[in-house]
Amino acid sequence: MRGLSGEWGGTGWDSRARMVGERWVERRPRRPEVAGRLLMETRLMPWLTPRLPLPVPLPHVLRREPLVVRHEVIVGEPLGTFDAVGGRALGAFLRALHATDPVEAVRRGAPPAREALRERAVVAEDFGTRVVPLLPGDRRGVARSLLDAVATLPATALVHGDLGPGHVLARDGVVSGVIDFGDAALDLAWALHGAPPSRRRDP
């Protein structure tokens, strides 16, 4: 699944991955600072997994030096289309994720609020320096205002961190799982603005 093979490869920015047989995915960090995120997943996910309505990885440490973590394959391919049914499934997933106790999540390994806020401020400043000047002149003020607003948002809920079409899997047109919980970012950016439009369907 997801184009992996028995060799260390994959396209992830933070981790390299390989398939072991047809059952397991093994991941190791591409850079030293990523090791802490992988270890965080091994502590957080056993607590978080039963609280979520979609399958997610449940990694464990296979080897510490060099670090390798392993989890069972989540069956599916990156989500190619996005309709109302998929939207409801993803919405239910996010509702459950964001409703988890943030204090308990931090106890289980999630970064504390102050760390999330510090990282978000760094990213916002970097975007302001490198990205905003590339925009048309009439868009730069709006972009800076958006970055300022994002930097001041509270960090009061557990979020996925990198929720995009590559991390939402589907099988036979049905959302089948969500993978990669190692980052810290905004959950709804892609779901609200990057997903293809679809006609409204009554429940």
Side-chain angles (χ1 to χ4, degrees):
M1 296 296 170
R2 292 179 44 78
L4 300 180
S5 67
E7 300 296 325
W8 287 107
T11 57
W13 175 254
D14 290 333
S15 301
R16 300 175 66 192
R18 70 174 180 180
M19 287 284 295
V20 179
E22 297 295 323
R23 182 179 178 185
W24 302 101
V25 175
E26 292 183 359
R27 298 162 60 201
R28 68 181 183 185
R30 288 185 180 273
R31 305 180 304 283
E33 64 269 21
V34 177
R37 300 181 190 176
L38 289 179
L39 290 172
M40 179 272 290
E41 290 186 61
T42 67
R43 298 190 298 270
L44 177 65
M45 297 310 292
W47 171 77
L48 184 60
T49 295
R51 290 166 169 78
L52 301 176
L54 290 173
V56 295
L58 184 57
H60 65 272
V61 175
L62 182 68
R63 186 171 66 238
R64 288 193 173 270
E65 294 293 339
L67 179 64
V68 178
V69 302
R70 170 185 278 193
H71 64 79
E72 289 195 69
V73 171
I74 304 298
V75 178
E77 297 294 336
L79 186 64
T81 60
F82 198 89
D83 58 16
V85 175
R88 284 194 289 269
L90 190 58
F93 170 84
L94 290 174
R95 189 179 303 112
L97 175 63
H98 297 162
T100 56
D101 182 352
V103 175
E104 189 65 21
V106 170
R107 286 185 56 201
R108 304 284 179 161
R114 63 181 180 277
E115 183 177 329
L117 291 170
R118 182 169 59 248
E119 182 173 342
R120 188 192 302 160
V122 169
V123 172
E125 182 177 357
D126 184 51
F127 277 29
T129 300
R130 297 197 299 157
V131 177
V132 171
L134 302 177
L135 299 175
D138 62 342
R139 302 291 181 88
R140 293 174 188 171
V142 174
R144 288 194 179 94
S145 296
L146 176 61
L147 289 173
D148 290 343
V150 168
T152 58
L153 288 172
T156 57
L158 183 65
V159 298
H160 174 276
D162 192 10
L163 194 71
H167 293 153
V168 180
L169 305 184
R171 186 182 188 188
D172 299 326
V174 177
V175 176
S176 61
V178 178
I179 60 173
D180 196 346
F181 283 74
D183 294 321
L186 296 177
D187 251 342
L188 299 180
W190 168 74
L192 289 177
H193 302 294
S198 64
R199 291 178 299 176
R200 179 183 180 276
R201 298 184 183 181
D202 293 329

